[in-house]
């Protein structure tokens, strides 16, 4: 996995496995089969394609769209939308989902981890 430190102009399509310790100044899409770990900030939306994986430990200023991948939120996002029955979205109890209206619906499991309905 490639570690990236610094600021990147977006929107950006992530075509390789990346751990970001900086900022994307627009939206980003994690392509199918790729892994992305965010320790920094995305100023726009994050889209996770089918069979992709995103671990968000930082901040997504927009919405996270799960199109059939795996999303793990430990940091902060404006909202999360699961657009596929194949997707898995895990929201840690310490994570923050700020707004989002209809995209914010979440169910609780016994472990305390919140999962969006599939």
């Amino acid at each position: 996995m490639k570690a990236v430190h610094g600021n990147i102009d977006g929107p950006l399509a992530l075509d390789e496995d990346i751990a970001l310790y900086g900022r994307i100044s627009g939206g980003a899409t994690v392509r199918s089969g790729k892994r992305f770990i965010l320790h920094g900030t995305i100023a726009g939306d994050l889209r996770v394609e089918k069979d992709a994986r995103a671990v968000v430990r930082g901040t997504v200023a927009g919405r996270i769209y799960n199109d059939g991948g795996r999303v793990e939120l430990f940091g902060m996002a404006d909202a999360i939308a699961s657009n596929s029955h194949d997707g898995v979205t895990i929201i840690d109890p310490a994570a923050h989902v700020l707004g989002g209206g209809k995209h914010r619906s979440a169910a609780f499991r016994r472990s305390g981890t919140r999962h969006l309905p599939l």
Side-chain angles (χ1 to χ4, degrees):
M1 178 172 282
K2 178 180 175 182
V4 176
H5 299 267
N7 297 327
I8 301 169
D9 291 329
L12 181 67
L14 300 166
D15 292 320
E16 61 183 316
D17 296 345
I18 292 179
L20 177 67
Y21 297 88
R23 183 175 197 272
I24 297 175
S25 64
T29 299
V30 183
R31 297 287 188 207
S32 181
K34 303 304 176 193
R35 294 181 305 150
F36 176 60
I37 301 174
L38 176 66
H39 294 280
T41 301
I42 295 177
D45 295 333
L46 174 63
R47 185 166 297 276
V48 180
E49 292 183 348
K50 182 174 175 61
D51 299 324
R53 182 174 181 184
V55 178
V56 177
R57 297 190 177 279
T59 301
V60 176
R63 291 190 168 139
I64 299 172
Y65 294 95
N66 186 348
D67 294 335
R70 180 179 176 93
V71 173
E72 298 176 34
L73 178 64
F74 297 95
M76 186 182 316
D78 181 55
I80 298 179
S82 184
N83 299 325
S84 171
H85 294 299
D86 297 329
V88 174
T89 299
I90 299 169
I91 303 171
D92 185 78
H96 298 283
V97 180
L98 302 176
K102 65 183 178 183
H103 295 287
R104 193 175 174 228
S105 62
F108 288 87
R109 286 188 2 167
R110 291 180 195 207
S111 67
T113 301
R114 293 176 282 173
H115 294 263
L116 289 178
L118 299 178

